[in-house]
Amino acid sequence: FTLGPGLYGLLGPNGAGKSTLINIITGGLAQDGGSVLWCGKSARALDVSFRRALGFMPQQQGLYDSYTGRRFLAYLCALKEIPAKETAAQVERVAEWVNLSNELDKRLAAYSGGMKQRVGIARAYAAAPELLVLDEPFGALDAQTRYVMEEEVLRIWEQEKKTVIFVT
């Protein structure tokens, strides 16, 4: 299948292979056949440039509990090669987007499940990627926050013309 700018959902029961497909697309798992292309070129061969274009929120978050939210998001900005002089503003931008601005200096260990979920969403969007992949992004969120986050994902797709894939 071919995806362009748009909003795509992978829906299905547990064990259907949704997360496996996402892990193949994002390079976390090798495929048995076929290929994953980004702009017509192998995503594996592009590696660094593909990873720069990718924002990924895995189902299993892998947060560092000893880090504060600010430190964790700054670390992710460094991994995405966002210049150090832009990091603070980028962290503030994504923290505001997921309504965590007032919680950034708390350790991740003290975050609720929903707050950790929002950090995961912020993590995926930190570098304003061309391809945003969210694996079960709204699961631990309360109804109001879920609605706001869903609206923001729609905004990213509609206004920024990104490719957004989410699993639910």
Side-chain angles (χ1 to χ4, degrees):
F1 57 92
T2 301
L3 306 177
L7 180 63
Y8 304 91
L10 293 177
L11 310 171
N14 291 342
K18 302 176 303 291
S19 293
T20 300
L21 176 60
I22 290 300
N23 283 315
I24 289 170
I25 291 170
T26 60
L29 187 62
Q31 68 267 20
D32 293 336
S35 57
V36 176
L37 305 177
W38 177 251
C39 298
K41 296 181 179 150
S42 168
R44 286 204 184 275
L46 290 171
D47 195 36
V48 173
S49 61
F50 177 66
R51 293 203 178 277
R52 284 183 185 135
L54 173 67
F56 178 43
M57 177 191 165
Q59 187 174 13
Q60 304 301 323
Q61 303 258 347
L63 301 177
Y64 301 132
D65 282 344
S66 64
Y67 281 28
T68 63
R70 184 180 313 281
R71 182 175 177 202
F72 184 73
L73 292 173
Y75 168 68
L76 294 169
C77 287
L79 291 178
K80 287 290 191 175
E81 300 177 337
I82 294 171
K85 64 183 179 202
E86 297 173 22
T87 296
Q90 209 53 353
V91 167
E92 290 297 331
R93 179 185 68 82
V94 294
E96 183 178 325
W97 183 61
V98 296
N99 195 24
L100 284 175
S101 296
N102 295 330
E103 311 296 332
L104 282 178
D105 295 315
K106 292 182 181 175
R107 293 199 181 276
L108 294 174
Y111 279 25
S112 69
M115 291 168 72
K116 288 179 179 180
Q117 196 82 1
R118 288 184 279 151
V119 167
I121 295 169
R123 159 194 187 164
Y125 197 61
E130 292 301 310
L131 172 60
L132 182 61
V133 180
L134 306 170
D135 194 352
E136 299 285 355
F138 309 127
L141 301 178
D142 62 80
Q144 181 178 0
T145 303
R146 180 184 180 113
Y147 175 77
V148 169
M149 292 290 93
E150 288 171 347
E151 289 296 310
E152 283 299 310
V153 168
L154 287 172
R155 183 195 61 76
I156 289 168
W157 162 58
E158 291 175 338
Q159 292 179 8
E160 298 180 29
K161 306 299 183 215
K162 306 289 184 174
T163 302
V164 180
I165 304 171
F166 73 94
V167 175
T168 191

